[in-house]
């Protein structure tokens, strides 16, 4: 049984890239598509935001105007969403890619009413292009869209399997949390999501589960309440 009726799934660009860390890993993307198909068959409504880090990390472009760097990052998420939506289509899912700015005939302009209508029809809706403005990360876009579509939870699939008290790649004895409040995430500056996104979660009581995307059936397990990741309460 599904624990949630409507979810917002955040997929990091790095996780989509698999072991190569750049571009797309087809096996990873197909695996995600098959899991989302299971969710759709269970009656779960799924919205998706992707990061763009497998193509571009604007904040690390020190010699570039921040607005331009962020705009490139927004376009990276559009590319990701169009590609992943095509993979979803190949396993029989109906999809729509929505952006907060016009991309010709490639995407549909975002509106809450249209997004919720599509979700209620069983269409998998991709929210690309971030918020449409610079200085806001895809973390913030994820929380914003989750609040707008009235999602029950944000599921954040990353290359790391949860929230730790320090970077496990640097500190082998880092402690993993099974459950932590968004208040503690903010106060301890754990870097799980940026502070603007964390504040938006807190203000709107939006809970989040962070889990390892590359673990077997991790999306389905999380929706069933069997996650091995970290629940972030708000």
């Amino acid at each position: 049984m599904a624990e949630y009726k409507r979810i917002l799934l955040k997929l990091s660009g790095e996780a989509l890239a698999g072991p190569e860390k750049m571009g797309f890993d087809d096996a990873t993307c197909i695996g995600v598509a098959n899991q989302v198909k299971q969710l759709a068959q269970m009656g779960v409504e799924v919205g998706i935001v992707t990061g763009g880090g497998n193509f571009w990390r604007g904040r690390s472009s020190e010699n570039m105007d921040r607005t331009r760097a962020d705009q490139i990052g927004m376009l990276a998420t559009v590319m990701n969403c169009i590609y992943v939506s095509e993979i979803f289509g190949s396993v029989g899912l109906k999809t729509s890619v929505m952006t907060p700015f016009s991309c010709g005939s490639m995407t549909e302009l975002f509106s809450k009413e249209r997004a919720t209508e599509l979700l209620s029809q069983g269409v998998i809706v991709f929210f690309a292009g971030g918020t449409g403005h610079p200085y806001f990360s895809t973390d913030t876009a994820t929380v914003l869209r989750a609040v707008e579509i009235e999602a029950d939870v944000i599921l954040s699939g990353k290359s790391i399997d949860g929230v730790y008290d320090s970077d496990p790649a640097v500190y082998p004895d880092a402690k993993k949390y099974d459950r932590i409040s968004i208040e503690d995430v903010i106060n301890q500056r754990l870097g799980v999501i940026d502070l603007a996104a964390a504040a938006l979660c807190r203000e709107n009581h939006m809970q989040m589960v962070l889990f390892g995307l590359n673990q077997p059936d991790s999306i389905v397990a999380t929706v069933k309440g069997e996650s091995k990741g970290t629940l972030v309460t708000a």
Side-chain angles (χ1 to χ4, degrees), residues 79-200:
M79 290 192 297
N80 276 349
C81 285
I82 291 174
Y83 177 85
V84 179
S85 71
E86 283 298 297
I87 295 290
F88 278 35
S90 73
V91 301
L93 290 166
K94 293 182 179 180
T95 65
S96 176
V97 179
M98 306 190 86
T99 49
F101 45 78
S102 176
C103 288
S105 61
M106 292 182 287
T107 67
E108 186 172 351
L109 199 61
F110 171 80
S111 78
K112 172 180 177 175
E113 292 75 16
R114 177 61 174 158
T116 53
E117 176 189 10
L118 289 169
L119 289 166
S120 67
Q121 294 171 357
V123 177
I124 311 302
V125 181
F126 288 81
F127 301 109
T131 67
H133 300 283
Y135 296 93
F136 292 98
S137 70
T138 51
D139 287 341
T140 305
T142 297
V143 181
L144 177 63
R145 295 294 180 240
V147 171
E148 286 181 302
I149 67 171
E150 301 176 34
D152 298 320
V153 67
I154 295 168
L155 305 186
S156 185
K158 294 180 173 286
S159 54
I160 189 171
D161 65 348
V163 180
Y164 289 79
D165 63 355
S166 56
D167 186 348
V170 178
Y171 303 99
D173 59 346
K175 174 189 173 184
K176 181 182 173 183
Y177 296 102
D178 293 325
R179 182 186 182 105
I180 190 172
S181 71
I182 194 67
E183 195 71 36
D184 286 338
V185 167
I186 294 170
N187 291 339
Q188 296 178 40
R189 296 184 175 272
L190 293 178
V192 174
I193 56 175
D194 67 46
L195 290 176
L200 196 57

